[in-house]
Amino acid sequence: CPQRLSCVAGQCTSFCRTSDTCPAGEFCSVATGQCAPSAGRADCADCTLDPSACGFTAQCLGFIAEGQDDARFCGEACTSHADCPAGFNCTGVIYSCNAEGESCPADPAAPAGESFTCKGFLVENEQGTQFYCSDSTGTPHEYYRACAPSSGFCPATVAP
């Protein structure tokens, strides 16, 4: 059988060992070797007009990358790459803000007494100052991690 296929009862059948070999948005079941979407997940769903489209397990996020428009997408919380379907990475989520010195939301996971303020940054290939919630080190603060398409665009695609 060709690559990514297994011979089962004399037939070449799709077979996976990791989600990386599955179609975008699907997970590999190691027990069966089959790729399938996971019920109830909202990975990459468009939440631009309705943040509630993400349901209870995902947050409405936006890309911070060159050339992105204002479209927003649903990102499921994760702790590692393995928590994400094919075509996605577990990436840090930072918050944007409006003006230098503005206060930012607290982070319950941060050390006691840590506060966050809005700071301006010059971002490569972006015009003007971009504002993000920053910690005491002066760098954008990662509030949590979420599954985001590794291509930087929704719908996600799997790397060739």
Side-chain angles (χ1 to χ4, degrees):
C1 291
Q3 214 173 2
R4 296 185 184 175
L5 297 179
S6 175
C7 185
V8 177
Q11 298 291 319
C12 291
T13 307
S14 294
F15 185 84
C16 64
R17 292 188 188 277
T18 67
S19 294
D20 292 339
T21 59
C22 294
E26 294 187 4
F27 288 90
C28 177
S29 167
V30 179
T32 66
Q34 299 300 301
C35 296
S38 182
R41 288 188 66 105
D43 296 289
C44 242
D46 187 343
C47 59
T48 305
L49 300 176
D50 181 13
S52 68
C54 298
F56 297 108
T57 60
Q59 296 290 319
C60 190
L61 306 172
F63 293 106
I64 299 176
E66 177 184 356
Q68 293 293 343
D69 56 20
D70 291 333
R72 299 177 63 74
F73 69 96
C74 297
E76 297 274 348
C78 60
T79 56
S80 74
H81 176 65
D83 296 334
C84 301
F88 290 77
N89 288 324
C90 188
T91 305
V93 174
I94 60 175
Y95 294 162
S96 60
C97 47
N98 298 314
E100 189 89 31
E102 177 182 278
S103 64
C104 287
D107 182 353
E114 177 84 39
S115 63
F116 307 98
T117 57
C118 189
K119 182 176 175 175
F121 296 89
L122 294 177
V123 179
E124 187 175 353
N125 297 322
E126 293 293 330
Q127 291 185 357
T129 303
Q130 308 296 310
F131 296 97
Y132 304 110
C133 290
S134 301
D135 56 28
S136 60
T137 67
T139 58
H141 176 69
E142 182 180 294
Y143 280 83
Y144 63 96
R145 298 178 70 72
C147 296
S150 50
S151 63
F153 296 92
C154 286
T157 55
V158 176

